[in-house]
Amino acid sequence: MKARVHVMLKNGVLDPQGEAVRHALGAMGFDGVQGVRQGKVIELDLAEGASEADVKQMCEKLLANTVIESYTVEMT
Amino acid sequence: MKARVHVMLKNGVLDPQGEAVRHALGAMGFDGVQGVRQGKVIELDLAEGASEADVKQMCEKLLANTVIESYTVEMT
């Protein structure tokens, strides 16, 4: 059983890493880039019987800093 | 126009970050976690007319280290 978690900064939270990537892309000649947001994708191999609620608990406790980050969970 | 890029370590490449997350989850009592792979998700705001080929060029030149990482591009 697999789960895929996306962790992104909440809207309104400054993303210095994304800004740095945007500037670098511009400097390399990619001028159509208006904004960049960078986050984490975490793929989990889970034992049978693991539930979405378990994965959400993992996000709340460890995988995401819920003060500034939001997360989505896809069970696959 | 938006594009979403997923950058993951290639299979076979050791993922120390993923291992650290797996151990931490185990220590917190989440014992059903058999494997963890962590990567980047990059959301790009692009000017109209930008193409998937442009985004792939950005990946090849900057967003992914193609020696150890693979990437996927979704235009949304």
Side-chain angles (χ1 to χ4, degrees):
Chain A
M1 188 171 211
K2 283 188 181 280
R4 181 180 246 198
V5 174
H6 283 90
V7 179
M8 297 296 291
L9 286 171
K10 289 180 177 175
N11 289 332
V13 176
L14 187 67
D15 181 0
Q17 207 167 2
E19 274 308 298
V21 170
R22 191 172 66 84
H23 280 293
L25 287 172
M28 296 171 90
F30 296 107
D31 43 25
V33 182
Q34 296 160 343
V36 178
R37 302 280 290 178
Q38 182 158 327
K40 292 180 288 195
V41 55
I42 301 163
E43 291 180 352
L44 300 160
D45 277 334
L46 301 168
E48 283 311 315
S51 68
E52 185 163 339
D54 295 332
V55 179
K56 285 188 172 172
Q57 269 293 313
M58 295 176 200
C59 292
E60 291 287 330
K61 287 188 175 173
L62 181 72
L63 302 179
N65 172 354
T66 51
V67 174
I68 59 168
E69 292 173 329
S70 60
Y71 61 86
T72 58
V73 175
E74 294 159 46
M75 303 300 283
T76 54
Chain B
M1 189 173 208
K2 282 189 181 278
R4 182 180 246 197
V5 174
H6 282 91
V7 179
M8 298 295 290
L9 286 171
K10 289 180 178 174
N11 288 331
V13 176
L14 187 66
D15 182 359
Q17 208 166 0
E19 275 308 299
V21 169
R22 191 172 66 83
H23 281 294
L25 287 172
M28 296 172 88
F30 297 106
D31 44 24
V33 183
Q34 296 161 344
V36 177
R37 302 280 289 178
Q38 182 158 327
K40 292 178 286 195
V41 55
I42 302 162
E43 291 180 353
L44 300 159
D45 277 333
L46 301 168
E48 282 312 313
S51 68
E52 185 164 339
D54 295 332
V55 179
K56 285 186 173 174
Q57 269 293 314
M58 294 177 200
C59 293
E60 291 287 332
K61 287 189 175 173
L62 181 73
L63 303 179
N65 172 353
T66 51
V67 174
I68 58 169
E69 292 173 330
S70 59
Y71 60 86
T72 57
V73 175
E74 294 159 46
M75 303 299 282
T76 56

